[in-house]
Structures are given as C-alpha cells and as structure tokens.
Amino acid sequence: AVNLTTAQNIANYGLSPVIGITSAVVDGPNPAKVHLTLSGNMTNGTQYTLTTNNIEDLPGNASGTMSVQYTYLVAQTPAPGDVIINEFMCDPSPVVGLPELEFVEIYNRSNKYFNLLNWKLGDNATFGTVQNAWLAPGEYKILCGTSSVPYFPGSVQVTSFPSLNNSGDDIILKDNSGLILDKITYTSAWYNNTDKDDGGYSIELINPNDPCSDISNWKASNDPLGGTPGLVNSVFDITPDTQAPQISSVKALAPNFLEVNFNEGLDSTSLANAIVTISPLLTIQSTYITGMYPQKVTYAFNENIVGSAEYEIELQNISDCWTNTTTVNGKFALAEPAVLGDIIVNEILFDPYTGGSDWLELYNTSNKLIDLKDWQFGNYKSGTGIGNLKTVTLNYFLSPGEYVVVGKDSNFVKERYPATIPGKFLKMDLPSYNNDSSTVYALYNGIVMEKISYSKKWHTALLDNPDGVSLERIDPKGISDNKNNWHTAAEMIGFATPGGRNSQYYPAVNSGEFSFTSDIISPDSDGYQDLLQVNYEMNEPGLIATFTIYDDRGRKIKELFKNELLGVSGSFIWDGVNDSNVKASIGTYVAVFEAFGINGEVVFTKTKAFVVAGKL
C-alpha cells in the first residue's frame, strides 16, 4: 500500500515516449495499485518506459527512481491478404539441414498487429488451432505441431497440425472468425527445380507483393540448410513485374469452344472487357472466366469451328495483376481425328549411342491438324503381342506435312545429329526397342495405326557399326512393315534426320519412265560401253528435270544436270567422270531422275542402279 499524497502526485511519474499524465488515483479496494490517466492515446505496438520516483509506503519509506517497460498492444481485425503463407516444408525427408519436421511460415505484410489465438491452419482435409502469439507488421512466424516447437525457436504451437502431402495439397490460413486470409494449392511442380523436389527443401515465396501469386512466384529454397524458417526467404525478390502478359497457348475444342491461356494471372475485369477479334469471323456467344486473377479464358462461339482451318485471334487492352496493359495475338485450329495412314512412323532409332535413348519420328501425311494426345507407343510382348504401352499425356498438334520426334532426351538428339530440326520434339518415355529386332506399335483409341517389325538386317550391308544410326522410311505412303521401304540414314547427314525430311526419302511417282541402253559402263576408252546412255519418256511436256548419280553409300558423285527443260522424250549420256573430274571407281551406283512441273510439284521420280566396270 502506498501513501496517498506521494502516489497521487503526477510529478512523481513520467512516460517515454512522452505522453502527459493528467491524474494519478490510488485504487480504493487495492491501495497498492495506482490508476494513471494520460493526456493522449498510446500508439498500438509501441514500447513505452514508465518511470516513478519518491513514492512512499504507509510507514513512510520512499522509493528511489524505478522504471518498467511495456508494449501497448491491441489486436486488430485482419483482412484477406494481410497475413500470407510465405514458406512451407511439406516433404522434410531426406534431411538437408533443417529438422525432419513440417512447418508453415506466415508473414504479416500489413501495418496491423494481430493476436493469433484460435486462428486456424489447415489443408484439404483437416484444420489445426493456432495458440496464443502476437504477430507484428513485417514479422514472420513459424507454425508447427506441438512436438516440433522446441526445434524451431520462436515458433507457435498448432494443435492438430495438418499433415501436408508431399506431391500436392492445400494450405489454408483463417482468423478466429473463420475468414480465409490466404490459401494456396501447391504441387511438386512448385519447387521449380527437379533436383530438389525429392524432399529436404522448403518451398519459398519469391515476391510477397505479387498481387496474384501463382506457381511462378514460388520455388525451392536456395539456403544451404534447405529453408529459412522465421527469416527472410533465400529467393526473396520484390522487383515489380513490368512485363505485359503474353498468350502461352490457344486451344480449340470441338465444336465451338476456344481456350486461351496466358503466361501469368490477368486482371479479370480487363479480360472480361477486352475487345476480341477473330479471323475468319467467329462471333462470341459466351465468355467464361474463373477467379479474380485467371490465367485462362474460354469462349463459346455461335458458329462451329471448321476442322484444321487456321484462325487468328486478337485481344485488345488486357492487363495483368500489376496493371501492365497490352494487345495480344494468337493462332489456332481445331484438330481432327486421325484415321489409318494419317500419322506414320517415318524414322526409327533403336540402337542409340551410349548415353542416348530410343526415339521415333512421326510424320503427318494428311491434310488435317492432328492432336497426338492419348496416342500410345508399344513394343512386342510375348503372349499378348502389344506390351509396355506409353501414352502421350499432353496436347501436341501436328500440322499437315510436319514431323515430330518422340523420345525422352531432345538435348542428346540435337547434340549428336547435326541434321536435327529444332522445335520438333515431343518429350516422353518410350518402351525399350531391342537392338537386334523388335516391333514398333503406334495406337490411337485402341486401334493399331502403325506396326513395324524391324530388324538390324534392314540396315545396308555396307554399314560397319549400327550404333546411333537410324532407319529411315523411303516412301511415306509405302507399306510400313516392309523392309524394302526402309534404308539406313545417309552418313553424309550424320546418320539421322530427326524432325526433318529423310535423307532416303524417295516417294513413288509414276508419270513417265527412264532406262539405260546398258546398265554397265566401262569408261576406259576401248570403244565398248564407254558411255552410260539414258533414255526417257514423260507423260507431259514442259517438265524441268534433275539427274543425279550416287555411290553405294549414298554420296552424290555427279549431278549431270539440274533444272533442265525436258522434251516429252529424249536421251542423254554420262561419260563416267564425277564432279571432281575424276573417273568413277568400280562399283555399284544409283541414278536418281526427278522431273517437276512449272509450280515445283514432283511429277516423276525414279531410281535405277547400274555398275561402273573396269579392269582389275
């Protein structure tokens, strides 16, 4: 109990930061308590120092100067987004450096003070209850299970802490009234790093100011311990987005729907109000937008989309979450179902280089745009015929006359084969094809679209080593399962043509004929078979022709003429001298005669073998 005179003298009290004291009153029931009335309001979250001096007790003992510190805190009401999920550990094993325990880190990005008592933390199945703790502006807090608290200094206990799934789950944060403050739905892709998605690393938020945070704003921790619980994230970067959004894909859906996907979240209002132009004309019946910051919009048209026809779309005045505004353009076409013969296997690599893997090349022989999604590739399995099926799980649109390489390692193919056409690769696992012989199956909707029972004996007998050498189809419209329609890829182009026209491409075109007077030439100036005479007859006049001679390894040794105007019939000769003005060596050769129309279309093409003879 204190003396009323000294205890109620306001001069004996001081407050820092300074707020005036207008009265001091001893409490009636409890004379050891004094009520101070201040001249102004205290500021929430501020630490104050109260000083007293010369306060006497009832016997007259006077105190010296005394002080005490306190923080004035009043819990405020949060709004969605005031407190966000900033980091989480869903797969703590194998351990990298942190305890082998799950946690969720939250961050207060507002200027408010919150008491976390009875807030809720949950996944897509259960919720736990957060215990008493204060969260100041700009502060991080680790939420974890009761038994985990000793392992994370400064952490907050969550009774019935939800168990987070390794491969994907929801994380939901609610206040004590049940208001959802933040919610994320993660997958293992959120690591954005295949070297870290097996566990031991937390997933961290990059930019807490991102107004529509999605998978692109999260990544695996770069900290040596595998995470930064309670600290600034290792991937922290508050650089604002100044790049306008772009279209990532446009997908037509039968019969009259179009799905447009973007590389980031958009402002839904700008997307709903965008000026949309489509050519050839399609008129919009309905627009479907989901969420405040969608990455996709779907249109329904009054008209049906014409199969395989190419359309263009333009969206004007769309904005992303950061209000970057732009006009975007894209192209689309509606894929059509494939029938037998539309898609063929055009090249097979079944005996890869060391470090490589098998691959197949497909070719679209039709005039349709065809989606390869749900196509399957298999090999021969004893007892069932078709086994080890691998399925294309993503959309891949193959245009008329286009090639695509199917396999799991595009980089290796590009490095080892100089004739590779970039951008013509569908990454997926294939069944293993034997180096000696096997059967390649391609199926769609359960129907066998291709069956090729190959053998390494299909390679030319002149090939020393088949490792890394592909088999190429000669005629795309020829019989698939016929060894005479396949040949070893040419050495001069690197033994394969992934994604492009085969080096052994030679479609059957019958619109004329050519022949040799004799299929033996002996260019030794003895007056006997010194010249190769070629006779031809075409079915129409005015054709442009090329005549080329190759040796038995596919190397061009003589281009007798190129783009020469032909008569309906005629003849010409070769004297046995190659392009280097050297007499051709003894051996077998192949002559290729091609004739084209005025528009460049192939009218006639044919090959014939002949022999260069000589004295040994």
Side-chain angles (χ1 to χ4, degrees):
V2 291
N3 174 274
L4 289 177
T5 301
T6 60
Q8 295 187 153
N9 182 357
I10 62 175
N12 291 337
Y13 300 92
L15 195 62
S16 177
V18 176
I19 302 178
I21 299 172
T22 59
S23 70
V25 178
V26 176
D27 187 79
N30 181 7
K33 180 190 295 185
V34 179
H35 297 274
L36 302 181
T37 301
L38 308 182
S39 63
N41 293 331
M42 289 181 285
T43 302
N44 199 12
T46 300
Q47 187 179 70
Y48 291 90
T49 301
L50 175 67
T51 302
T52 67
N53 184 46
N54 199 32
I55 306 296
E56 297 180 2
D57 60 12
L58 295 181
N61 300 305
S63 71
T65 300
M66 300 183 295
S67 65
V68 64
Q69 290 185 329
Y70 69 91
T71 301
Y72 176 66
L73 288 171
V74 176
Q76 295 170 276
T77 302
D82 281 349
V83 181
I84 61 172
I85 298 160
N86 192 62
E87 181 181 1
F88 60 94
M89 175 72 82
C90 60
D91 184 6
S93 178
V95 169
V96 173
L98 293 175
E100 194 173 353
L101 299 166
E102 294 182 355
F103 68 85
V104 174
E105 179 192 81
I106 59 175
Y107 170 64
N108 183 358
R109 63 177 185 177
S110 75
N111 59 0
K112 304 175 186 176
Y113 290 82
F114 305 112
N115 189 288
L116 303 181
L117 181 63
N118 293 327
W119 284 26
K120 302 291 183 182
L121 181 72
D123 62 1
N124 62 6
T126 61
F127 278 88
T129 302
V130 184
Q131 300 305 295
N132 187 44
W134 285 91
L135 183 65
E139 186 179 10
Y140 303 93
K141 282 292 184 186
I142 308 162
L143 307 182
C144 59
T146 303
S147 61
S148 302
V149 169
Y151 297 93
F152 296 106
S155 60
V156 182
Q157 174 187 347
V158 179
T159 59
S160 302
F161 185 88
S163 178
L164 303 177
N165 298 329
N166 293 353
S167 59
D169 208 341
D170 293 339
I171 302 179
I172 307 167
L173 180 68
K174 297 181 180 181
D175 72 359
N176 56 2
S177 71
L179 177 70
I180 295 178
L181 303 178
D182 195 16
K183 176 183 178 181
I184 62 173
T185 301
Y186 70 87
T187 67
S188 57
W190 279 36
Y191 286 95
N192 283 301
N193 188 324
T194 56
D195 293 331
K196 297 182 178 181
D197 60 9
D198 287 333
Y201 291 89
S202 71
I203 300 177
E204 297 182 345
L205 186 69
I206 299 171
N207 189 345
N209 299 326
D210 191 334
C212 55
S213 182
D214 56 18
I215 183 174
S216 64
N217 198 33
W218 294 84
K219 67 190 304 185
S221 176
N222 288 331
D223 192 273
L225 293 177
T228 55
L231 304 172
V232 176
N233 288 345
S234 63
V235 300
F236 178 79
D237 183 359
I238 57 172
T239 304
D241 176 11
T242 59
Q243 299 297 313
Q246 297 178 345
I247 290 177
S248 57
S249 67
V250 185
K251 181 181 177 183
L253 305 169
N256 64 325
F257 291 91
L258 182 68
E259 183 181 283
V260 184
N261 293 277
F262 303 91
N263 65 333
E264 59 178 321
L266 299 188
D267 174 70
S268 57
T269 302
S270 76
L271 193 55
N273 295 332
I275 300 172
V276 182
T277 305
I278 298 172
S279 178
L281 181 64
L282 292 172
T283 56
I284 297 175
Q285 180 187 93
S286 303
T287 301
Y288 302 93
I289 300 171
T290 303
M292 186 177 295
Y293 299 113
Q295 284 190 253
K296 179 179 74 173
V297 59
T298 302
Y299 298 108
F301 302 117
N302 292 308
E303 307 84 8
N304 287 345
I305 303 172
V306 178
S308 298
E310 186 174 279
Y311 294 82
E312 294 186 7
I313 183 172
E314 181 179 87
L315 290 85
Q316 298 181 35
N317 300 325
I318 62 168
S319 302
D320 62 13
C321 311
W322 298 79
T323 68
N324 298 305
T325 304
T326 189
T327 294
V328 293
N329 297 273
K331 295 182 179 181
F332 65 93
L334 179 63
E336 297 184 84
V339 298
L340 200 65
D342 283 348
I343 301 291
I344 63 164
V345 175
N346 194 57
E347 190 170 357
I348 306 171
L349 193 283
F350 55 84
D351 186 1
Y353 290 117
T354 300
S357 55
D358 297 347
W359 52 262
L360 305 173
E361 180 191 76
L362 308 181
Y363 174 63
N364 186 350
T365 68
S366 73
N367 58 2
K368 307 173 187 174
L369 177 71
I370 295 175
D371 187 358
L372 296 180
K373 186 176 184 294
D374 297 327
W375 275 66
Q376 295 179 298
F377 302 96
N379 58 14
Y380 178 77
K381 184 177 181 181
S382 179
T384 61
I386 305 175
N388 304 310
L389 288 174
K390 304 294 183 181
T391 304
V392 181
T393 58
L394 300 175
N395 296 104
Y396 188 97
F397 298 97
L398 193 60
S399 299
E402 290 292 317
Y403 304 85
V404 63
V405 179
V406 181
K408 70 177 184 179
D409 192 346
S410 61
N411 289 330
F412 188 87
V413 173
K414 287 187 289 187
E415 289 171 2
R416 297 307 298 265
Y417 298 105
T420 300
I421 305 298
K424 303 291 185 181
F425 206 92
L426 172 56
K427 185 177 181 180
M428 64 173 288
D429 287 332
L430 286 175
S432 178
Y433 295 110
N434 295 335
N435 293 350
D436 292 331
S437 63
S438 185
T439 301
V440 175
Y441 289 97
L443 297 89
Y444 180 63
N445 283 342
I447 299 172
V448 176
M449 310 298 278
E450 280 278 72
K451 172 183 173 292
I452 303 165
S453 296
Y454 68 84
S455 167
K456 70 176 183 179
K457 295 180 180 178
W458 287 15
H459 279 300
T460 175
L462 299 173
L463 183 65
D464 296 328
N465 184 357
D467 289 356
V469 181
S470 77
L471 274 176
E472 292 185 332
R473 193 176 183 130
I474 298 171
D475 182 0
K477 295 185 178 181
I479 300 173
S480 297
D481 204 18
N482 183 346
K483 69 177 183 178
N484 295 320
N485 196 31
W486 294 84
H487 198 278
T488 302
E491 180 180 6
M492 63 185 298
I493 50 81
F495 287 124
T497 53
R501 177 169 158 170
N502 289 347
S503 62
Q504 304 295 352
Y505 170 81
Y506 198 78
V509 179
N510 296 311
S511 185
E513 186 56 86
F514 86 94
S515 62
F516 304 128
T517 300
S518 171
D519 57 6
I520 297 176
I521 175 176
S522 174
D524 52 9
S525 301
D526 64 355
Y528 176 68
Q529 295 180 331
D530 287 335
L531 301 173
L532 180 74
Q533 181 170 324
V534 182
N535 309 298
Y536 69 86
E537 289 188 10
M538 298 290 110
N539 291 351
E540 57 183 279
L543 300 181
I544 305 296
T546 298
F547 190 88
T548 312
I549 297 172
Y550 297 87
D551 66 12
D552 56 5
R553 301 190 69 177
R555 297 173 297 194
K556 183 172 71 172
I557 66 118
K558 181 68 177 181
E559 189 171 70
L560 204 58
F561 53 81
K562 182 177 182 180
N563 298 333
E564 183 170 311
L565 182 64
L566 293 180
V568 174
S569 63
S571 64
F572 51 88
I573 59 172
W574 178 51
D575 60 4
V577 176
N578 62 24
D579 281 336
S580 300
N581 289 322
V582 176
K583 184 174 69 174
S585 302
I586 295 173
T588 302
Y589 291 80
V590 175
V592 179
F593 196 160
E594 297 174 291
F596 307 88
I598 58 173
N599 294 320
E601 73 278 12
V602 178
V603 174
F604 168 76
T605 179
K606 195 167 186 178
T607 61
K608 281 184 178 294
F610 65 94
V611 174
V612 173
K615 296 178 182 179
L616 297 177

